[in-house]
CSV table of all heavy atoms in Angstrom, one decimal:
chain,number,residue,atom,x,y,z
S,22,MET,N,-11.2,4.3,15.1
S,22,MET,CA,-10.7,5.2,14.1
S,22,MET,C,-11.7,5.4,12.9
S,22,MET,O,-12.4,4.4,12.5
S,22,MET,CB,-9.4,4.7,13.5
S,22,MET,CG,-8.3,4.6,14.5
S,22,MET,SD,-6.7,4.1,13.8
S,22,MET,CE,-6.2,5.6,13.1
S,23,THR,N,-11.8,6.6,12.4
S,23,THR,CA,-12.7,6.8,11.3
S,23,THR,C,-12.0,6.7,10.0
S,23,THR,O,-10.8,6.9,9.9
S,23,THR,CB,-13.3,8.2,11.4
S,23,THR,OG1,-12.2,9.2,11.4
S,23,THR,CG2,-14.1,8.4,12.7
S,24,ALA,N,-12.7,6.4,8.9
S,24,ALA,CA,-12.1,6.2,7.6
S,24,ALA,C,-11.6,7.6,7.2
S,24,ALA,O,-12.2,8.7,7.4
S,24,ALA,CB,-13.2,5.7,6.6
S,25,ASN,N,-10.4,7.5,6.5
S,25,ASN,CA,-9.8,8.7,6.0
S,25,ASN,C,-9.2,8.6,4.6
S,25,ASN,O,-8.4,9.4,4.2
S,25,ASN,CB,-8.8,9.3,7.0
S,25,ASN,CG,-7.7,8.3,7.3
S,25,ASN,OD1,-7.5,7.3,6.7
S,25,ASN,ND2,-6.9,8.7,8.2
S,26,VAL,N,-9.5,7.5,4.0
S,26,VAL,CA,-8.9,7.2,2.7
S,26,VAL,C,-10.0,7.1,1.7
S,26,VAL,O,-11.0,6.3,1.8
S,26,VAL,CB,-8.1,5.9,2.7
S,26,VAL,CG1,-7.6,5.5,1.3
S,26,VAL,CG2,-6.9,5.9,3.7
S,27,GLY,N,-10.0,8.0,0.6
S,27,GLY,CA,-11.0,8.0,-0.4
S,27,GLY,C,-11.0,7.0,-1.4
S,27,GLY,O,-10.0,6.2,-1.5
S,28,THR,N,-11.9,7.0,-2.3
S,28,THR,CA,-12.0,5.9,-3.4
S,28,THR,C,-10.8,5.9,-4.3
S,28,THR,O,-10.2,4.8,-4.6
S,28,THR,CB,-13.3,6.1,-4.2
S,28,THR,OG1,-14.4,6.1,-3.3
S,28,THR,CG2,-13.5,5.0,-5.2
S,29,ILE,N,-10.5,7.0,-4.9
S,29,ILE,CA,-9.3,7.1,-5.8
S,29,ILE,C,-8.0,6.6,-5.1
S,29,ILE,O,-7.2,5.9,-5.6
S,29,ILE,CB,-9.2,8.4,-6.4
S,29,ILE,CG1,-10.4,8.7,-7.3
S,29,ILE,CG2,-7.9,8.5,-7.3
S,29,ILE,CD1,-10.5,10.1,-7.9
S,30,ASP,N,-7.8,7.1,-3.9
S,30,ASP,CA,-6.7,6.8,-3.1
S,30,ASP,C,-6.7,5.3,-2.8
S,30,ASP,O,-5.6,4.7,-2.9
S,30,ASP,CB,-6.7,7.6,-1.7
S,30,ASP,CG,-5.4,7.7,-1.0
S,30,ASP,OD1,-4.4,7.1,-1.5
S,30,ASP,OD2,-5.4,8.2,0.0
S,31,ARG,N,-7.8,4.7,-2.5
S,31,ARG,CA,-7.9,3.3,-2.2
S,31,ARG,C,-7.5,2.4,-3.5
S,31,ARG,O,-6.8,1.4,-3.4
S,31,ARG,CB,-9.3,2.8,-1.8
S,31,ARG,CG,-9.6,3.3,-0.5
S,31,ARG,CD,-11.0,3.0,0.0
S,31,ARG,NE,-11.1,1.5,-0.1
S,31,ARG,CZ,-12.3,0.9,-0.3
S,31,ARG,NH1,-13.4,1.6,-0.6
S,31,ARG,NH2,-12.4,-0.4,-0.3
S,32,ILE,N,-8.0,2.9,-4.7
S,32,ILE,CA,-7.6,2.2,-6.0
S,32,ILE,C,-6.2,2.3,-6.2
S,32,ILE,O,-5.5,1.3,-6.6
S,32,ILE,CB,-8.4,2.8,-7.1
S,32,ILE,CG1,-9.9,2.5,-6.9
S,32,ILE,CG2,-7.9,2.3,-8.4
S,32,ILE,CD1,-10.9,3.2,-7.9
S,33,LEU,N,-5.5,3.5,-6.0
S,33,LEU,CA,-4.1,3.6,-6.2
S,33,LEU,C,-3.4,2.8,-5.2
S,33,LEU,O,-2.3,2.1,-5.6
S,33,LEU,CB,-3.7,5.1,-6.1
S,33,LEU,CG,-4.2,5.9,-7.3
S,33,LEU,CD1,-3.8,7.4,-7.0
S,33,LEU,CD2,-3.6,5.5,-8.6
S,34,ARG,N,-3.7,2.8,-4.0
S,34,ARG,CA,-3.0,2.0,-2.9
S,34,ARG,C,-3.1,0.5,-3.3
S,34,ARG,O,-2.1,-0.2,-3.2
S,34,ARG,CB,-3.6,2.3,-1.6
S,34,ARG,CG,-3.2,3.6,-1.0
S,34,ARG,CD,-4.0,3.8,0.3
S,34,ARG,NE,-3.8,5.2,0.8
S,34,ARG,CZ,-2.9,5.4,1.7
S,34,ARG,NH1,-2.1,4.5,2.3
S,34,ARG,NH2,-2.7,6.7,2.1
S,35,ALA,N,-4.3,0.0,-3.7
S,35,ALA,CA,-4.4,-1.4,-4.0
S,35,ALA,C,-3.6,-1.8,-5.2
S,35,ALA,O,-3.0,-2.8,-5.2
S,35,ALA,CB,-6.0,-1.7,-4.3
S,36,ALA,N,-3.5,-0.9,-6.3
S,36,ALA,CA,-2.7,-1.2,-7.4
S,36,ALA,C,-1.2,-1.2,-7.0
S,36,ALA,O,-0.5,-2.2,-7.4
S,36,ALA,CB,-3.0,-0.2,-8.5
S,37,ILE,N,-0.8,-0.3,-6.3
S,37,ILE,CA,0.6,-0.2,-5.9
S,37,ILE,C,1.0,-1.4,-5.0
S,37,ILE,O,2.0,-2.0,-5.2
S,37,ILE,CB,1.0,1.1,-5.2
S,37,ILE,CG1,0.8,2.3,-6.2
S,37,ILE,CG2,2.4,1.1,-4.6
S,37,ILE,CD1,0.9,3.6,-5.6
S,38,GLY,N,0.1,-1.8,-4.1
S,38,GLY,CA,0.3,-2.9,-3.2
S,38,GLY,C,0.4,-4.1,-4.1
S,38,GLY,O,1.3,-5.0,-3.7
S,39,ALA,N,-0.5,-4.4,-5.0
S,39,ALA,CA,-0.4,-5.6,-5.8
S,39,ALA,C,0.8,-5.7,-6.6
S,39,ALA,O,1.4,-6.7,-6.8
S,39,ALA,CB,-1.6,-5.7,-6.7
S,40,VAL,N,1.2,-4.5,-7.2
S,40,VAL,CA,2.5,-4.5,-8.0
S,40,VAL,C,3.7,-4.8,-7.1
S,40,VAL,O,4.6,-5.6,-7.6
S,40,VAL,CB,2.6,-3.2,-8.7
S,40,VAL,CG1,4.0,-3.0,-9.3
S,40,VAL,CG2,1.6,-3.0,-9.8
S,41,LEU,N,3.7,-4.2,-6.0
S,41,LEU,CA,4.9,-4.5,-5.1
S,41,LEU,C,4.9,-6.0,-4.6
S,41,LEU,O,6.0,-6.6,-4.6
S,41,LEU,CB,4.9,-3.6,-3.9
S,41,LEU,CG,5.2,-2.2,-4.1
S,41,LEU,CD1,5.0,-1.3,-2.9
S,41,LEU,CD2,6.7,-2.1,-4.5
S,42,PHE,N,3.7,-6.5,-4.3
S,42,PHE,CA,3.7,-7.9,-4.0
S,42,PHE,C,4.1,-8.8,-5.1
S,42,PHE,O,4.8,-9.9,-5.0
S,42,PHE,CB,2.2,-8.3,-3.5
S,42,PHE,CG,2.2,-9.4,-2.5
S,42,PHE,CD1,2.7,-9.2,-1.3
S,42,PHE,CD2,1.6,-10.6,-2.9
S,42,PHE,CE1,2.6,-10.3,-0.3
S,42,PHE,CE2,1.6,-11.6,-2.0
S,42,PHE,CZ,2.1,-11.4,-0.7
S,43,TYR,N,3.7,-8.5,-6.3
S,43,TYR,CA,4.0,-9.2,-7.5
S,43,TYR,C,5.6,-9.2,-7.8
S,43,TYR,O,6.2,-10.1,-8.0
S,43,TYR,CB,3.3,-8.7,-8.8
S,43,TYR,CG,3.9,-9.2,-10.1
S,43,TYR,CD1,3.5,-10.5,-10.5
S,43,TYR,CD2,4.8,-8.5,-10.8
S,43,TYR,CE1,4.1,-11.0,-11.7
S,43,TYR,CE2,5.3,-9.0,-12.0
S,43,TYR,CZ,4.9,-10.2,-12.4
S,43,TYR,OH,5.5,-10.7,-13.5
S,44,LEU,N,6.2,-8.0,-7.7
S,44,LEU,CA,7.6,-7.8,-7.8
S,44,LEU,C,8.3,-8.6,-6.8
S,44,LEU,O,9.4,-9.1,-7.0
S,44,LEU,CB,7.9,-6.3,-7.8
S,44,LEU,CG,7.6,-5.5,-8.9
S,44,LEU,CD1,7.8,-4.0,-8.6
S,44,LEU,CD2,8.2,-5.9,-10.2
S,45,ALA,N,7.8,-8.6,-5.6
S,45,ALA,CA,8.6,-9.3,-4.5
S,45,ALA,C,8.6,-10.9,-4.7
S,45,ALA,O,9.6,-11.4,-4.4
S,45,ALA,CB,7.9,-9.0,-3.2
S,46,PHE,N,7.5,-11.5,-5.2
S,46,PHE,CA,7.4,-12.9,-5.2
S,46,PHE,C,7.3,-13.5,-6.5
S,46,PHE,O,7.6,-14.7,-6.7
S,46,PHE,CB,6.3,-13.4,-4.3
S,46,PHE,CG,6.5,-13.0,-2.9
S,46,PHE,CD1,5.7,-12.1,-2.3
S,46,PHE,CD2,7.5,-13.7,-2.1
S,46,PHE,CE1,5.9,-11.8,-0.9
S,46,PHE,CE2,7.7,-13.4,-0.8
S,46,PHE,CZ,6.9,-12.4,-0.2
S,47,LEU,N,6.9,-12.8,-7.5
S,47,LEU,CA,6.7,-13.4,-8.8
S,47,LEU,C,7.6,-13.0,-10.0
S,47,LEU,O,7.6,-13.6,-11.1
S,47,LEU,CB,5.2,-13.4,-9.2
S,47,LEU,CG,4.2,-14.0,-8.2
S,47,LEU,CD1,2.7,-13.7,-8.7
S,47,LEU,CD2,4.4,-15.4,-8.2
S,48,SER,N,8.2,-11.8,-9.8
S,48,SER,CA,9.0,-11.3,-10.9
S,48,SER,C,10.4,-12.0,-10.8
S,48,SER,O,10.9,-12.5,-9.8
S,48,SER,CB,9.2,-9.7,-10.8
S,48,SER,OG,10.2,-9.4,-10.0
S,49,SER,N,11.1,-11.9,-11.9
S,49,SER,CA,12.4,-12.4,-12.0
S,49,SER,C,13.5,-11.3,-12.1
S,49,SER,O,14.6,-11.6,-12.5
S,49,SER,CB,12.6,-13.4,-13.2
S,49,SER,OG,12.3,-12.7,-14.4
S,50,LEU,N,13.2,-10.2,-11.6
S,50,LEU,CA,14.2,-9.1,-11.7
S,50,LEU,C,15.3,-9.4,-10.6
S,50,LEU,O,15.0,-9.8,-9.4
S,50,LEU,CB,13.5,-7.8,-11.3
S,50,LEU,CG,12.5,-7.2,-12.3
S,50,LEU,CD1,11.8,-6.0,-11.7
S,50,LEU,CD2,13.1,-7.0,-13.6
S,51,THR,N,16.5,-9.1,-10.9
S,51,THR,CA,17.6,-9.4,-10.0
S,51,THR,C,17.6,-8.5,-8.8
S,51,THR,O,18.1,-8.9,-7.7
S,51,THR,CB,18.9,-9.2,-10.8
S,51,THR,OG1,19.0,-7.9,-11.2
S,51,THR,CG2,19.0,-10.2,-11.9
S,52,LEU,N,17.0,-7.2,-8.9
S,52,LEU,CA,16.9,-6.4,-7.8
S,52,LEU,C,16.1,-7.0,-6.6
S,52,LEU,O,16.5,-6.9,-5.5
S,52,LEU,CB,16.2,-5.0,-8.1
S,52,LEU,CG,16.0,-4.1,-7.0
S,52,LEU,CD1,17.4,-3.6,-6.5
S,52,LEU,CD2,15.3,-2.9,-7.5
S,53,PHE,N,15.0,-7.8,-6.9
S,53,PHE,CA,14.2,-8.3,-6.0
S,53,PHE,C,14.6,-9.7,-5.6
S,53,PHE,O,13.9,-10.4,-4.8
S,53,PHE,CB,12.7,-8.3,-6.4
S,53,PHE,CG,12.2,-6.9,-6.5
S,53,PHE,CD1,12.1,-6.3,-7.7
S,53,PHE,CD2,11.7,-6.3,-5.4
S,53,PHE,CE1,11.6,-5.0,-7.8
S,53,PHE,CE2,11.2,-5.0,-5.5
S,53,PHE,CZ,11.2,-4.3,-6.7
S,54,ALA,N,15.8,-10.1,-6.1
S,54,ALA,CA,16.3,-11.4,-5.7
S,54,ALA,C,17.0,-11.3,-4.3
S,54,ALA,O,17.1,-12.3,-3.5
S,54,ALA,CB,17.3,-11.9,-6.7
S,55,THR,N,17.4,-10.1,-3.9
S,55,THR,CA,18.0,-9.9,-2.6
S,55,THR,C,17.0,-9.9,-1.5
S,55,THR,O,15.9,-9.3,-1.8
S,55,THR,CB,18.9,-8.7,-2.5
S,55,THR,OG1,18.1,-7.6,-2.8
S,55,THR,CG2,20.0,-8.7,-3.6
S,56,PRO,N,17.2,-10.4,-0.4
S,56,PRO,CA,16.2,-10.5,0.6
S,56,PRO,C,15.6,-9.2,1.1
S,56,PRO,O,14.5,-8.9,1.4
S,56,PRO,CB,16.8,-11.3,1.8
S,56,PRO,CG,17.9,-12.1,1.1
S,56,PRO,CD,18.3,-11.3,-0.1
S,57,LEU,N,16.6,-8.1,1.2
S,57,LEU,CA,16.2,-6.8,1.7
S,57,LEU,C,15.1,-6.2,0.8
S,57,LEU,O,14.1,-5.7,1.3
S,57,LEU,CB,17.5,-5.9,1.8
S,57,LEU,CG,17.2,-4.5,2.1
S,57,LEU,CD1,16.7,-4.4,3.5
S,57,LEU,CD2,18.4,-3.6,1.9
S,58,PHE,N,15.3,-6.2,-0.5
S,58,PHE,CA,14.4,-5.6,-1.4
S,58,PHE,C,13.1,-6.4,-1.5
S,58,PHE,O,12.0,-5.9,-1.6
S,58,PHE,CB,15.0,-5.3,-2.8
S,58,PHE,CG,15.9,-4.2,-2.8
S,58,PHE,CD1,17.3,-4.5,-2.9
S,58,PHE,CD2,15.5,-2.9,-2.6
S,58,PHE,CE1,18.2,-3.4,-2.9
S,58,PHE,CE2,16.4,-1.8,-2.7
S,58,PHE,CZ,17.7,-2.1,-2.8
S,59,LYS,N,13.3,-7.8,-1.5
S,59,LYS,CA,12.1,-8.7,-1.7
S,59,LYS,C,11.2,-8.5,-0.5
S,59,LYS,O,10.0,-8.3,-0.7
S,59,LYS,CB,12.7,-10.1,-1.8
S,59,LYS,CG,11.6,-11.1,-1.9
S,59,LYS,CD,12.3,-12.5,-2.0
S,59,LYS,CE,11.3,-13.5,-2.6
S,59,LYS,NZ,11.9,-14.7,-2.9
S,60,TYR,N,11.6,-8.6,0.7
S,60,TYR,CA,10.7,-8.6,1.9
S,60,TYR,C,10.3,-7.1,2.1
S,60,TYR,O,9.2,-6.9,2.7
S,60,TYR,CB,11.4,-9.3,3.0
S,60,TYR,CG,11.6,-10.7,2.8
S,60,TYR,CD1,12.8,-11.3,2.7
S,60,TYR,CD2,10.5,-11.6,2.5
S,60,TYR,CE1,13.0,-12.6,2.5
S,60,TYR,CE2,10.6,-12.8,2.3
S,60,TYR,CZ,11.9,-13.4,2.2
S,60,TYR,OH,12.0,-14.7,2.0
S,61,SER,N,11.1,-6.1,1.8
S,61,SER,CA,10.7,-4.7,2.0
S,61,SER,C,9.5,-4.4,1.1
S,61,SER,O,8.5,-3.8,1.5
S,61,SER,CB,11.8,-3.8,1.7
S,61,SER,OG,12.8,-3.9,2.7
S,62,ALA,N,9.6,-4.9,-0.2
S,62,ALA,CA,8.6,-4.7,-1.1
S,62,ALA,C,7.3,-5.4,-0.7
S,62,ALA,O,6.2,-4.9,-0.8
S,62,ALA,CB,9.0,-5.1,-2.5
S,63,ALA,N,7.5,-6.6,-0.2
S,63,ALA,CA,6.3,-7.4,0.3
S,63,ALA,C,5.6,-6.7,1.5
S,63,ALA,O,4.4,-6.7,1.5
S,63,ALA,CB,6.8,-8.8,0.7
S,64,VAL,N,6.4,-6.3,2.5
S,64,VAL,CA,5.8,-5.6,3.6
S,64,VAL,C,5.0,-4.3,3.3
S,64,VAL,O,3.9,-4.1,3.7
S,64,VAL,CB,6.9,-5.3,4.7
S,64,VAL,CG1,6.4,-4.4,5.8
S,64,VAL,CG2,7.3,-6.7,5.3
S,65,ILE,N,5.7,-3.5,2.4
S,65,ILE,CA,5.0,-2.3,1.9
S,65,ILE,C,3.8,-2.6,1.1
S,65,ILE,O,2.8,-2.0,1.2
S,65,ILE,CB,6.1,-1.4,1.1
S,65,ILE,CG1,7.1,-0.9,2.1
S,65,ILE,CG2,5.4,-0.3,0.5
S,65,ILE,CD1,8.3,-0.3,1.4
S,66,GLY,N,3.8,-3.6,0.3
S,66,GLY,CA,2.7,-4.1,-0.5
S,66,GLY,C,1.5,-4.5,0.4
S,66,GLY,O,0.4,-4.1,0.1
S,67,VAL,N,1.9,-5.2,1.5
S,67,VAL,CA,0.8,-5.7,2.4
S,67,VAL,C,0.2,-4.5,3.1
S,67,VAL,O,-1.1,-4.4,3.3
S,67,VAL,CB,1.4,-6.7,3.3
S,67,VAL,CG1,0.4,-7.0,4.6
S,67,VAL,CG2,1.6,-8.0,2.6
S,68,VAL,N,1.0,-3.6,3.6
S,68,VAL,CA,0.5,-2.3,4.2
S,68,VAL,C,-0.4,-1.6,3.3
S,68,VAL,O,-1.4,-1.1,3.7
S,68,VAL,CB,1.7,-1.5,4.8
S,68,VAL,CG1,1.2,-0.2,5.2
S,68,VAL,CG2,2.4,-2.3,5.9
S,69,MET,N,0.0,-1.4,2.0
S,69,MET,CA,-0.8,-0.7,1.1
S,69,MET,C,-2.1,-1.3,0.9
S,69,MET,O,-3.1,-0.7,0.8
S,69,MET,CB,0.0,-0.5,-0.3
S,69,MET,CG,1.2,0.3,-0.1
S,69,MET,SD,0.9,2.0,0.3
S,69,MET,CE,0.7,2.6,-1.4
S,70,LEU,N,-2.1,-2.6,0.7
S,70,LEU,CA,-3.3,-3.4,0.5
S,70,LEU,C,-4.3,-3.4,1.8
S,70,LEU,O,-5.5,-3.2,1.6
S,70,LEU,CB,-3.1,-4.9,0.2
S,70,LEU,CG,-2.5,-5.1,-1.2
S,70,LEU,CD1,-2.1,-6.5,-1.3
S,70,LEU,CD2,-3.6,-4.8,-2.3
S,71,ALA,N,-3.7,-3.4,3.0
S,71,ALA,CA,-4.4,-3.3,4.2
S,71,ALA,C,-5.1,-2.0,4.3
S,71,ALA,O,-6.3,-1.8,4.8
S,71,ALA,CB,-3.5,-3.6,5.4
S,72,THR,N,-4.4,-0.8,4.1
S,72,THR,CA,-4.9,0.5,4.2
S,72,THR,C,-5.9,0.7,3.2
S,72,THR,O,-6.9,1.4,3.4
S,72,THR,CB,-3.8,1.6,4.1
S,72,THR,OG1,-3.1,1.5,2.9
S,72,THR,CG2,-2.9,1.5,5.2
S,73,SER,N,-5.8,0.1,2.1
S,73,SER,CA,-6.8,0.2,1.0
S,73,SER,C,-8.1,-0.5,1.4
S,73,SER,O,-9.2,0.0,1.2
S,73,SER,CB,-6.3,-0.4,-0.3
S,73,SER,OG,-7.4,-0.5,-1.3
S,74,THR,N,-7.9,-1.7,2.0
S,74,THR,CA,-9.1,-2.5,2.4
S,74,THR,C,-9.8,-1.9,3.6
S,74,THR,O,-11.0,-1.8,3.7
S,74,THR,CB,-8.6,-3.9,2.8
S,74,THR,OG1,-8.0,-4.5,1.6
S,74,THR,CG2,-9.8,-4.9,3.1
S,75,LEU,N,-9.1,-1.4,4.6
S,75,LEU,CA,-9.7,-0.8,5.8
S,75,LEU,C,-10.1,0.5,5.8
S,75,LEU,O,-10.8,1.0,6.6
S,75,LEU,CB,-8.6,-1.1,7.0
S,75,LEU,CG,-8.2,-2.5,7.3
S,75,LEU,CD1,-7.1,-2.5,8.4
S,75,LEU,CD2,-9.4,-3.3,7.8
S,76,LYS,N,-9.7,1.3,4.7
S,76,LYS,CA,-10.0,2.7,4.5
S,76,LYS,C,-9.4,3.6,5.6
S,76,LYS,O,-9.9,4.7,5.8
S,76,LYS,CB,-11.5,2.9,4.4
S,76,LYS,CG,-12.2,2.2,3.4
S,76,LYS,CD,-13.7,2.5,3.4
S,76,LYS,CE,-14.5,1.7,2.5
S,76,LYS,NZ,-15.9,2.0,2.5
S,77,ILE,N,-8.4,3.1,6.3
S,77,ILE,CA,-7.8,3.8,7.3
S,77,ILE,C,-6.3,3.9,7.1
S,77,ILE,O,-5.6,2.9,7.0
S,77,ILE,CB,-8.0,3.2,8.7
S,77,ILE,CG1,-9.6,3.2,9.0
S,77,ILE,CG2,-7.3,4.0,9.8
S,77,ILE,CD1,-9.9,2.4,10.2
S,78,CYS,N,-5.7,5.1,7.1
S,78,CYS,CA,-4.2,5.3,7.0
S,78,CYS,C,-3.7,6.0,8.3
S,78,CYS,O,-4.1,7.1,8.6
S,78,CYS,CB,-3.9,6.1,5.8
S,78,CYS,SG,-2.1,6.5,5.6
S,79,PRO,N,-2.9,5.3,9.1
S,79,PRO,CA,-2.5,5.9,10.4
S,79,PRO,C,-1.7,7.1,10.1
S,79,PRO,O,-1.8,8.1,10.9
S,79,PRO,CB,-1.6,4.8,11.0
S,79,PRO,CG,-2.0,3.6,10.3
S,79,PRO,CD,-2.5,3.9,9.0
S,80,ILE,N,-1.0,7.2,9.1
S,80,ILE,CA,-0.1,8.5,8.8
S,80,ILE,C,-1.1,9.6,8.5
S,80,ILE,O,-0.8,10.8,8.9
S,80,ILE,CB,0.8,8.2,7.6
S,80,ILE,CG1,1.9,7.2,8.1
S,80,ILE,CG2,1.5,9.5,7.2
S,80,ILE,CD1,2.8,6.8,7.0
S,81,TYR,N,-2.2,9.4,7.7
S,81,TYR,CA,-3.2,10.4,7.5
S,81,TYR,C,-3.8,10.9,8.8
S,81,TYR,O,-4.1,12.1,8.9
S,81,TYR,CB,-4.3,9.9,6.6
S,81,TYR,CG,-3.9,9.9,5.1
S,81,TYR,CD1,-2.6,10.2,4.6
S,81,TYR,CD2,-4.9,9.7,4.1
S,81,TYR,CE1,-2.4,10.2,3.3
S,81,TYR,CE2,-4.7,9.6,2.8
S,81,TYR,CZ,-3.4,9.9,2.3
S,81,TYR,OH,-3.1,9.9,1.0
S,82,SER,N,-4.1,10.0,9.7
S,82,SER,CA,-4.6,10.4,11.0
S,82,SER,C,-3.7,11.3,11.8
S,82,SER,O,-4.1,12.2,12.4
S,82,SER,CB,-4.8,9.1,11.8
S,82,SER,OG,-5.9,8.3,11.2
S,83,VAL,N,-2.4,10.9,11.8
S,83,VAL,CA,-1.4,11.8,12.5
S,83,VAL,C,-1.3,13.1,11.9
S,83,VAL,O,-1.3,14.2,12.6
S,83,VAL,CB,-0.1,11.1,12.6
S,83,VAL,CG1,1.0,12.0,13.1
S,83,VAL,CG2,-0.1,9.9,13.3
S,84,LEU,N,-1.4,13.2,10.5
S,84,LEU,CA,-1.2,14.5,9.9
S,84,LEU,C,-2.6,15.3,9.7
S,84,LEU,O,-2.6,16.4,9.3
S,84,LEU,CB,-0.6,14.3,8.5
S,84,LEU,CG,0.8,13.7,8.4
S,84,LEU,CD1,1.3,13.5,7.0
S,84,LEU,CD2,1.8,14.6,9.2
S,85,GLY,N,-3.6,14.7,10.1
S,85,GLY,CA,-4.9,15.3,9.9
S,85,GLY,C,-5.5,15.4,8.5
S,85,GLY,O,-6.3,16.2,8.2
S,86,LEU,N,-5.0,14.5,7.6
S,86,LEU,CA,-5.5,14.5,6.2
S,86,LEU,C,-6.7,13.5,6.0
S,86,LEU,O,-6.8,12.5,6.7
S,86,LEU,CB,-4.3,14.0,5.3
S,86,LEU,CG,-3.1,14.9,5.3
S,86,LEU,CD1,-2.0,14.2,4.6
S,86,LEU,CD2,-3.4,16.2,4.7
S,87,LYS,N,-7.5,13.8,5.0
S,87,LYS,CA,-8.6,13.0,4.6
S,87,LYS,C,-8.7,13.2,3.2
S,87,LYS,O,-8.7,14.2,2.6
S,87,LYS,CB,-9.9,13.4,5.3
S,87,LYS,CG,-10.0,13.1,6.7
S,87,LYS,CD,-11.4,13.4,7.3
S,87,LYS,CE,-11.5,13.0,8.7
S,87,LYS,NZ,-12.8,13.3,9.3
S,88,THR,N,-8.8,12.0,2.5
S,88,THR,CA,-9.0,12.0,1.0
S,88,THR,C,-10.4,11.5,0.6
S,88,THR,O,-10.7,11.4,-0.6
S,88,THR,CB,-8.0,11.2,0.2
S,88,THR,OG1,-8.1,9.9,0.7
S,88,THR,CG2,-6.6,11.8,0.5
S,89,CYS,N,-11.3,11.3,1.6
S,89,CYS,CA,-12.6,10.9,1.3
S,89,CYS,C,-13.6,11.9,1.4
S,89,CYS,O,-13.4,12.8,2.4
S,89,CYS,CB,-13.0,9.6,2.2
S,89,CYS,SG,-13.0,10.0,3.9
S,90,ARG,N,-14.7,12.0,0.6
S,90,ARG,CA,-15.7,13.0,0.7
S,90,ARG,C,-16.7,12.7,1.7
S,90,ARG,O,-17.4,13.5,2.2
S,90,ARG,CB,-16.3,13.1,-0.6
S,90,ARG,CG,-15.4,13.7,-1.7
S,90,ARG,CD,-16.0,13.9,-3.0
S,90,ARG,NE,-15.0,14.2,-3.9
S,90,ARG,CZ,-15.3,14.9,-5.0
S,90,ARG,NH1,-16.5,15.3,-5.3
S,90,ARG,NH2,-14.3,15.2,-5.9
S,91,GLU,N,-17.0,11.4,2.0
S,91,GLU,CA,-18.1,10.9,2.8
S,91,GLU,C,-17.7,11.1,4.3
S,91,GLU,O,-18.6,11.1,5.1
S,91,GLU,CB,-18.3,9.4,2.6
S,91,GLU,CG,-18.6,9.0,1.2
S,91,GLU,CD,-17.3,8.7,0.4
S,91,GLU,OE1,-16.4,7.9,1.0
S,91,GLU,OE2,-17.2,9.1,-0.7
S,92,CYS,N,-16.5,11.2,4.6
S,92,CYS,CA,-16.0,11.3,6.0
S,92,CYS,C,-16.3,12.6,6.7
S,92,CYS,O,-16.2,13.6,6.2
S,92,CYS,CB,-14.6,11.0,6.2
S,92,CYS,SG,-14.0,9.5,5.3
């Protein structure tokens, strides 16, 4: 697979992933005390961090989108 995630997109994905991971495991909000929200936020956070690191988004590939200029 070729890279399809640009720099700004990667930064935003990494920030959102880190925030979701923080909310899931380190925050004391009552919403994230329930397992459904806690683990959903953790999984989405890990996916966001992974797509940011790998520069590949499977959904972008299916839709034919690219946010990188180098690709």
